[in-house]
């Protein structure tokens, strides 16, 4: 086995090891050791040191006297490039100049005897190192508590390396976020690899990872980050991950069973509450209160539709955290197509308060965007236990409609839809759809830009500035298009009834 000087300096086994003098990063494969007295003999130094070796001086030596300079020259003459001495001195400029001239790296160590033994074991007895690593990983798994977080903490204390749980994209699930954006992109290459695997990072270090078999749809990875490449520690940590991933998988499987049971309980409870509406029994109301759900007050429903394959149980906490980060204290319940959530206010909210809440929910959706596509709808405020179901129903309609409204960021709030929301069911009938297509037919010959501009303009409540911002256009461009639309359709968009008819027509023919 071999190891570079930088790898030794970064290895937590070698407590108190530091670079005393000399540049470079030579690789070592063997260890030689001498007492300070023996090191005064050129013959002894020649026998203990050579190319690829580390010469360790076992007792204290004064690095400032002339005999140490002579030792440096005798060591360099053997081809040895690394000398380790018992020292706690600070780096000396004169010593550094001599070491650089001789091509030597001088390491300071607090306990040269222990350093010599540990380094010899590391370089020459890889099987013993592996066996010791497996034994310590097994004991760590036995000592750790029932959570993955506790397991990672025990592994950190045992191996002096930070362990993290990642998804296949490199996003940390548990443990400190130790990766830069560039390193996280490299870690995203984990998907499809075997185990354990090593990924070289842009930062110069390596990420060693092993999949964790927990029964999840997309298995997470247990990983450890090394700041520099070092083959010996890489090999030992690979077997550590093999063992620790089993312990992590067991904990995740148990936690998953608990999470799924709680998800079924929440979903069933919400279903009963919605179905019974105003006729909820005292027992049902008590169970809802026991779950921490406030029933009195005014409720604003939120529907988050998940697009694509999403683990709804595992990612519920992300939705709750995103809402909480924007100041929304919400109950979040898993459903077949996403999540139902609602926030409760003690009194009837004023319109400006509702607007602020909707904006915060929209900001929460933006927090989810990097890792999950969603369609989000927000209902109106309704009071009492029955108000939860009423607002969630509206939020569900708005979320489904949001899916076809890229102009609004796949987000809709029922209060902003007004009368159009009440007439939405009618706009989907066979009677209205042909009429809507005929009404907007003059705009079809503009490569879709006029139709898109009209739809966005009406969604943004006839605001030229907001429409321009949404579409990434200059305000004058939007104004010109609106004028052209009015001429082509022979309409006046200042008329509320005309705007309503066109708004419904745009929603009807939206793809």
């Amino acid at each position: 086995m071999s190891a570079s000087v930088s790898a030794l300096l970064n290895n937590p086994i070698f407590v108190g090891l530091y670079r005393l003098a000399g540049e470079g990063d030579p690789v070592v494969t063997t260890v030689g050791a001498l007492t300070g007295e023996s090191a005064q003999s050129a013959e002894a130094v020649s026998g203990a040191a050579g190319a690829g070796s580390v010469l360790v001086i076992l007792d204290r030596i004064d690095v400032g006297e002339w005999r140490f300079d002579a030792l440096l020259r005798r060591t360099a003459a053997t081809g040895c490039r690394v000398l380790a001495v018992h020292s706690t001195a600070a780096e000396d400029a004169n010593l550094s100049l001599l070491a650089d001239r001789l091509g030597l790296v001088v390491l300071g160590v607090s306990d040269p005897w222990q350093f010599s033994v540990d380094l010899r074991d590391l370089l020459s007895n890889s099987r013993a190192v592996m066996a010791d690593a497996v034994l310590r990983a097994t004991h760590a798994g036995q000592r750790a508590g029932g959570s993955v977080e506790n397991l990672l903490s025990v592994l950190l204390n045992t191996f002096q390396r930070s362990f993290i749980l990642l998804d296949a994209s490199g996003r940390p699930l548990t443990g400190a976020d130790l990766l830069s954006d560039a390193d996280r992109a490299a870690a995203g290459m984990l998907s499809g690899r075997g185990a354990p695997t090593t990924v070289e990072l842009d930062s110069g270090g390596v990420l060693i990872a092993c999949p964790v078999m927990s029964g999840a749809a997309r298995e997470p990875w247990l990983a450890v980050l090394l700041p520099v490449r070092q083959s010996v520690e890489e090999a030992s940590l690979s077997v550590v991950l093999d063992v620790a991933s089993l312990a992590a998988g067991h904990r995740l499987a148990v936690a998953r069973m608990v999470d799924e049971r709680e998800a079924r309980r929440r979903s069933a409870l919400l279903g009963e509450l919605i179905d019974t509406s105003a006729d909820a029994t005292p027992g049902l109301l008590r169970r809802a209160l026991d779950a921490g759900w406030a029933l009195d007050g005014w409720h604003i429903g939120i529907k988050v539709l998940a697009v694509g394959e999403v683990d709804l149980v595992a990612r519920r906490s992300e939705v709750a955290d995103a809402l909480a980060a924007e100041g929304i204290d919400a109950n979040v319940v898993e459903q077949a197509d996403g999540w139902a959530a609602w926030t409760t206010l003690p009194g009837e909210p004023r319109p400006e308060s509702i607007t602020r809440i909707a904006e915060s929910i929209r900001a929460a959706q933006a927090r989810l965007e990097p890792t999950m596509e969603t369609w989000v709808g927000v209902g109106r405020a309704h009071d009492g236990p029955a108000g939860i179901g009423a607002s969630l129903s509206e939020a569900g309609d708005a979320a489904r409609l949001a899916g076809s409204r890229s102009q609004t960021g796949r987000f809709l709030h029922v209060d902003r839809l007004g009368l159009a929301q009440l007439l939405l069911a009618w706009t989907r009938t066979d009677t209205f759809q042909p009429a809507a297509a005929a009404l907007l037919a003059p705009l079809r010959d503009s490569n879709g830009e006029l139709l898109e501009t009209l739809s966005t303009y009406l969604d943004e409540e006839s605001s030229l500035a907001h429409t321009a911002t949404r579409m990434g256009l200059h305000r004058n461009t939007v104004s010109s298009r609106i004028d052209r639309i009015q001429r082509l359709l022979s309409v006046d968009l200042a008329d509320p009834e005309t705007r309503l008819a066109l708004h419904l027509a745009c929603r009807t023919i939206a793809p």
Side-chain angles (χ1 to χ4, degrees):
M1 301 290 283
S2 63
S4 65
V5 167
S6 60
L8 299 181
L9 291 169
N10 280 282
N11 194 316
I13 294 175
F14 304 120
V15 178
L17 182 67
Y18 70 103
R19 188 187 294 265
L20 180 59
E23 300 295 332
D25 192 25
V27 173
V28 298
T29 57
T30 60
V31 184
L34 291 173
T35 63
E37 183 178 350
S38 299
Q40 300 308 313
S41 165
E43 184 178 354
V45 171
S46 179
S53 70
V54 178
L55 177 59
V56 182
I57 306 304
L58 298 174
D59 46 11
R60 185 176 293 278
I61 186 171
D62 186 353
V63 299
E65 66 176 8
W66 66 268
R67 282 180 294 185
F68 187 69
D69 292 353
L71 173 59
L72 292 182
R73 291 183 170 86
R74 282 193 293 272
T75 303
T78 68
C80 176
R81 292 292 173 261
V82 184
L83 177 67
V85 297
H86 186 182
S87 176
T88 56
E91 185 174 352
D92 181 88
N94 292 329
L95 177 59
S96 296
L97 288 174
L98 178 58
D100 289 340
R101 189 162 62 247
L102 295 173
L104 272 177
V105 172
V106 183
L107 301 176
V109 61
S110 57
D111 187 344
W113 287 89
Q114 189 63 49
F115 173 71
S116 176
V117 171
D118 290 343
L119 182 56
R120 193 183 304 274
D121 286 343
L122 190 68
L123 296 176
S124 64
N125 195 357
S126 60
R127 290 188 178 181
V129 172
M130 301 300 176
D132 178 66
V134 169
L135 186 61
R136 290 194 292 157
T138 302
H139 288 166
Q142 292 170 342
R143 294 197 312 273
S147 70
V148 173
E149 291 82 359
N150 191 261
L151 173 64
L152 298 185
S153 177
V154 174
L155 289 171
L156 167 63
N157 292 332
T158 302
F159 296 98
Q160 298 302 304
R161 293 296 187 195
S162 293
F163 290 75
I164 50 178
L165 195 68
L166 303 172
D167 66 11
S169 69
R171 184 174 59 93
L173 301 174
T174 302
D177 188 358
L178 306 174
L179 303 178
S180 65
D181 290 341
D183 286 346
R184 193 173 296 109
M189 299 164 56
L190 289 172
S191 183
R193 293 198 179 196
T197 189
T198 300
V199 178
E200 294 189 19
L201 303 177
D202 285 358
S203 60
V206 292
L207 188 76
I208 311 171
C210 183
V212 177
M213 304 302 173
S214 62
R218 299 183 67 188
E219 301 291 1
W221 290 71
L222 182 63
V224 61
L225 177 66
L226 295 181
V228 295
R229 297 217 65 160
Q230 40 189 309
S231 58
V232 178
E233 193 176 8
E234 285 179 37
S236 64
L237 286 177
S238 291
V239 298
V240 167
L241 288 173
D242 269 334
V243 175
S245 65
L246 297 176
H250 171 72
R251 286 163 172 79
L252 288 176
V254 172
R256 176 74 182 195
M257 290 175 58
V258 174
D259 289 345
E260 288 182 345
R261 182 174 64 245
E262 289 300 303
R264 289 193 296 270
R265 181 187 64 81
R266 283 189 295 267
S267 181
L269 181 59
L270 179 59
E272 287 185 61
L273 193 62
I274 292 174
D275 290 342
T276 56
S277 189
D279 299 323
T281 65
L284 175 59
L285 296 178
R286 185 173 60 254
R287 282 192 290 137
L289 291 172
D290 289 342
W293 298 355
L295 301 179
D296 294 329
W298 289 75
H299 312 285
I300 297 177
I302 308 162
K303 179 66 179 185
V304 181
L305 289 174
V307 180
E309 184 179 346
V310 176
D311 189 332
L312 300 176
V313 174
R315 305 198 68 174
R316 168 186 172 271
S317 61
E318 294 179 45
V319 176
D321 290 346
L323 290 167
E326 297 298 333
I328 303 297
D329 181 14
N331 302 295
V332 181
V333 177
E334 302 88 337
Q335 295 187 313
D337 54 359
W339 300 272
W342 67 96
T343 186
T344 303
L345 305 171
E348 183 176 5
R350 298 176 62 85
E352 56 269 23
S353 297
I354 294 175
T355 298
R356 283 196 299 270
I357 290 172
E359 290 173 349
S360 296
I361 295 169
R362 190 169 190 169
Q365 180 189 21
R367 288 179 175 270
L368 298 171
E369 281 180 2
T371 60
M372 180 175 17
E373 182 183 357
T374 59
W375 302 344
V376 177
V378 180
R380 293 177 296 169
H382 293 266
D383 67 325
I388 295 175
S391 189
L392 284 176
S393 177
E394 294 176 351
D397 289 341
R400 284 183 287 274
L401 185 58
S404 64
R405 309 306 295 172
S406 60
Q407 302 95 327
T408 65
R410 313 293 183 187
F411 175 94
L412 284 178
H413 180 202
V414 168
D415 267 8
R416 292 194 65 200
L417 302 183
L419 183 59
Q421 176 66 22
L422 302 178
L423 300 176
L424 180 60
W426 179 61
T427 67
R428 297 304 185 186
T429 65
D430 292 339
T431 302
F432 188 84
Q433 287 177 346
L439 178 63
L440 299 173
L443 306 182
R444 289 290 189 181
D445 296 332
S446 60
N447 297 323
E449 67 177 20
L450 292 183
L451 186 58
E452 181 186 9
T453 301
L454 175 61
S455 180
T456 306
Y457 178 74
L458 294 172
D459 281 343
E460 294 297 334
E461 298 178 346
S462 304
S463 169
L464 292 174
H466 289 173
T467 304
T469 299
R470 174 69 67 185
M471 300 185 69
L473 299 173
H474 192 278
R475 186 180 187 278
N476 291 344
T477 301
V478 174
S479 178
S480 176
R481 289 185 184 180
I482 293 299
D483 288 342
R484 185 181 174 195
I485 289 168
Q486 292 185 102
R487 290 196 303 271
L488 288 172
L489 298 181
S490 299
V491 297
D492 180 7
L493 288 176
D495 178 53
E497 293 185 4
T498 298
R499 289 200 305 271
L500 173 61
L502 290 173
H503 205 176
L504 292 173
C506 287
R507 291 180 181 276
T508 300
I509 67 172

